[in-house]
Amino acid sequence: MNFPELQGNEQLKKSLSELERGGRMPHAVIISSGNAEGRRILTKRLSMWAVCSKDNPPCGKCKDCQNVQSDVHCDVYFAKGSGKTDIYKKEEIAAIIRDSYVKPNQALRKVYVFEDCDRKLPVISQNAFLKTLEEPPQDTLFILTCESSRSLLDTIRSRAVEFSLENTEQINEEAYSLAKEIARGIVSPGEINLLRSTYKMNDRALALDTLDSIAALLRDGLAVYIGSTAEIDSDTADLLCRKLTKSRFLKLIELTQDAKSKIYANVSLKLISLWLCAEYRRNVWQK
Ligand SMILES: [Zn+2]
């Protein structure tokens, strides 16, 4: 079935058709990156594949496929979330897991969709899910969508097939240059430059990419510190080495990871910037 909406994403189309040709539907799929619309389109496509009973599914024309298109298929269930922030609580996960062992109503399979998992699927709920992904019920497809699969536990990621709507190898230039600014700010004597730079992480996606780049620059610096060579930027690595020790490098990398966790826990970016700036300074400049 041709899917013009996925045009331009050739790599993804290739892996999707390889998977479909193989005829083996995975039990769990993670759809990451891109925008919400793109993730929805791919969710529908996979749901159609799961419920379509024609040869070479998804046909796109049968009743099952059409019902998925119009969001009314009785075997495709979107988790609802609860509370002010629409979190998927562990009680909802437990109910879905119980339901997933009941046969589908009319289609070949049941599909359960969890959208915006970075924001809505906390670690406690991910843990509630784990056992089911280890021994999944038959005829079930779980679809988890997220901006970045880094928000999901490794143990979840390793049990799912991931489709990324963007070429993740692509370096985000804006994030990289901001990361460089921050890394250099960490070891410069005045606090103000560092604070200004961390405040520029004013957008969630930018902040996550920047933090990844900071961690990479710190690892690069650590490599130089222990006598290896820099792979990303030798100037920044040399600069960091003049001020940092091995244990400080490691501590800074840890802090950078913690900042990412705070983003996933929905702490405000301003607070995270302030916190990170203060912690970086405290660890580098304390006697
Ligand atoms: Zn069909």
Side-chain angles (χ1 to χ4, degrees), residues 52 54 59-62 65:
C52 178
K54 301 292 177 195
C59 72
K61 298 187 183 90
C62 70
C65 285

Side-chain angles (χ1 to χ4, degrees), residues 57-75:
C59 72
K61 298 187 183 90
C62 70
K63 191 84 195 139
D64 283 309
C65 285
Q66 285 184 355
N67 283 346
V68 172
Q69 292 274 32
S70 346
D71 289 324
V72 293
H73 199 292
C74 59
D75 287 311

Side-chain angles (χ1 to χ4, degrees), residues 5 16 27 29 74 102 154 170 218 228 240 244 256 287:
E5 288 90 341
L16 184 57
H27 288 288
V29 170
C74 59
V102 180
D154 286 342
Q170 223 168 29
L218 288 166
S228 182
L240 292 173
L244 301 178
T256 312
K287 287 282 175 276

Side-chain angles (χ1 to χ4, degrees), residues 202-270:
N202 52 9
D203 162 280
R204 191 183 157 92
L206 173 68
L208 287 168
D209 284 348
T210 303
L211 292 167
D212 276 343
S213 290
I214 296 172
L217 287 167
L218 288 166
R219 282 194 294 271
D220 215 29
L222 180 58
V224 172
Y225 185 84
I226 59 177
S228 182
T229 47
E231 281 183 1
I232 307 175
D233 174 16
S234 57
D235 285 347
T236 305
D238 288 342
L239 195 71
L240 292 173
C241 280
R242 269 180 241 149
K243 182 72 196 164
L244 301 178
T245 58
K246 185 181 167 201
S247 62
R248 282 188 172 155
F249 268 117
L250 292 173
K251 184 67 199 169
L252 295 183
I253 292 169
E254 194 186 310
L255 286 169
T256 312
Q257 300 293 346
D258 289 350
K260 272 172 63 183
S261 312
K262 287 180 190 291
I263 293 179
Y264 291 126
N266 285 324
V267 178
S268 95
L269 288 173
K270 280 217 165 92

